């Protein structure tokens, strides 16, 4: 029960003014522009877009500035804005098989077709650059190479029947639900779970993914492939009869190769874990793929013994906007509730004191 709070408009206005002043910082320092945030903090912007469920680098950068770098507040702002946008329809599934990678690595084969491509990565940066060299060393000129085909590692294993098919040949592919419009119902389909993971809190997914590697979940993964690049988005326009290209999105895709399964009736095959996220989001995509495999325990007849294998636990607690609301609502007035419990505690103490020793 909440007590209605009246008045206080002046205090709230002053709090907003103080917030703006603190966010501005030293007036002598140049103002950070939206373009600067979008261009120089692209990893942060990608996280806000993922968890905000909206691909718009400029809008995400604006939210980061308004939230003074508070990721969860920026995500809340983006989701709130998203609810005001009209929905015209759905785009066609992304063709990530033909994704031309800016970065492509695999932990399974050293000499894989198309080669490894390091691209942009923090993997080899282990020191804090000085102010005079914030950007690090200048990249060396690379020799021009012809475009080579880069088939996905999981597709190569699939051609040899060494890994499970992406979908069972005797099953249909149902139209996935939209978690932003339909209520969450358990159990969920894999497509719905991947939606929830894609917009889930990166830190939460990372911790649960880590737990699966420590024995709290049935995963023994190999990074089959991690790709970062731009993929074309097409909109299915019924009136035209053909798909219309809308533009290109930068995405990160992770395909995990997990421990194999098999039986007397079915030869041994590796299993899959999958993750896809906006922008440069390798940690998010890898965490998604670990949890995707862990949450498929029922498909493989595995016992669910760890939190990462509990669909309702993972999905219900991965949404950071809901989590923030439940935690931060404790700051709101609870005067009536507290006074009721305070009175109860005092009465119980009085009764306890009246009882002879």
């Amino acid at each position: 029960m909440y007590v209605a709070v009246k008045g206080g408009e002046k205090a709230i206005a002053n709090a907003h003014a103080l917030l703006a002043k603190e966010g501005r910082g030293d007036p002598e320092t140049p103002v950070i522009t939206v373009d600067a945030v979008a261009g120089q903090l692209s990893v942060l912007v990608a996280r806000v877009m993922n968890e905000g469920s909206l691909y718009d680098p400029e809008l995400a950068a604006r939210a980061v500035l308004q939230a003074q770098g508070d990721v969860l507040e920026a995500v809340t702002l983006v989701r709130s804005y998203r609810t005001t946008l009209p929905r015209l329809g759905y785009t066609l599934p992304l063709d990530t098989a033909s994704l031309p990678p800016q970065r492509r690595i695999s932990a399974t084969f050293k000499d894989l077709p198309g080669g490894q491509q390091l691209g942009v990565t923090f993997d080899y940066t282990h020191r804090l650059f000085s102010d005079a060299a914030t950007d690090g060393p200048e990249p060396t000129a690379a020799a021009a190479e012809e475009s080579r085909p880069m088939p996905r590692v999981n597709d190569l294993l699939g051609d040899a029947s060494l890994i499970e098919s992406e979908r069972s040949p005797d099953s249909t592919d149902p139209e996935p639900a939209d978690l932003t419009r339909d209520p969450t119902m358990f159990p969920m389909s894999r497509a719905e779970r991947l939606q929830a993971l894609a917009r889930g809190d990166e830190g939460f997914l990372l911790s649960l993914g880590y737990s699966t590697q420590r024995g709290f979940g049935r995963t023994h993964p190999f990074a089959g492939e991690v790709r970062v690049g731009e993929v074309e988005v097409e909109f299915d326009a019924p009136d035209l009869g053909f798909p219309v290209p809308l533009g290109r999105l930068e995405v990160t895709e992770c395909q995990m190769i997990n421990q194999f399964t098999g039986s007397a009736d079915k030869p041994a095959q590796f299993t899959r874990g999958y993750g896809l996220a906006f922008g440069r989001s390798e940690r998010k995509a890898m965490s998604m793929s670990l949890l995707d495999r862990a949450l498929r325990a029922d498909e493989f007849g595995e016992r669910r013994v760890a939190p990462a294998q509990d669909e309702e636990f993972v999905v219900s607690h991965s949404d950071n906007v809901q989590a923030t609301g439940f935690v931060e609502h404790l700051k709101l007035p609870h005067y009536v509730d507290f006074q009721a419990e305070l009175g109860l505690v005092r009465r119980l103490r009085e009764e306890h004191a009246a009882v002879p020793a």
Side-chain angles (χ1 to χ4, degrees), residues 90-251:
Y90 294 93
T91 59
L92 298 178
L94 299 180
D95 182 16
T96 57
S98 58
L99 173 67
Q102 302 163 358
R103 170 167 162 78
R104 183 226 196 181
I105 58 169
S106 173
T108 52
F109 297 102
K110 178 181 179 182
D111 299 318
L112 70 162
Q116 307 267 4
Q117 188 167 324
L118 293 185
V120 180
T121 178
F122 294 113
D123 291 348
Y124 308 98
T125 304
H126 302 300
R127 67 181 179 89
L128 189 64
F129 295 125
S130 64
D131 291 339
T134 304
D135 297 329
E138 289 293 326
T140 57
E145 296 184 5
E146 295 183 2
S147 177
R148 295 176 294 177
M150 293 184 177
R152 295 188 293 186
V153 171
N154 284 28
D155 292 342
L156 297 175
L157 294 175
D159 292 340
S161 300
L162 294 173
I163 193 169
E164 61 165 327
S165 301
E166 288 188 303
R167 67 170 62 92
S168 177
D170 58 350
S171 66
T172 58
D173 191 8
E175 190 72 19
D178 185 345
L179 292 185
T180 64
R181 308 188 77 184
D182 304 322
T184 302
M185 301 290 291
F186 299 103
M188 306 173 75
S189 68
R190 188 184 180 196
E192 292 170 324
R193 288 199 303 264
L194 286 171
Q195 286 182 57
L197 294 177
R199 58 195 256 127
D201 182 79
E202 181 177 312
F204 182 76
L205 301 189
L206 175 65
S207 295
L208 283 182
Y210 174 49
S211 75
T212 67
Q213 296 177 271
R214 297 188 63 246
F216 296 91
R218 189 177 170 82
T219 63
H220 180 65
F222 299 92
E225 189 168 347
V226 177
R227 286 195 185 204
V228 181
E230 292 187 349
V231 64
E232 191 168 60
V233 179
E234 295 182 326
F235 178 70
D236 186 10
D239 296 339
L240 298 178
F242 56 87
V244 179
L246 297 182
R248 303 184 69 84
L249 302 182
E250 184 181 39
V251 297

Side-chain angles (χ1 to χ4, degrees), residues 264-283:
D265 301 324
K266 189 175 181 180
Q269 286 183 316
F270 289 110
T271 55
R272 295 174 180 263
Y274 186 78
L276 182 72
F278 289 147
R280 288 168 49 208
S281 308
E282 292 183 29
R283 191 182 303 116

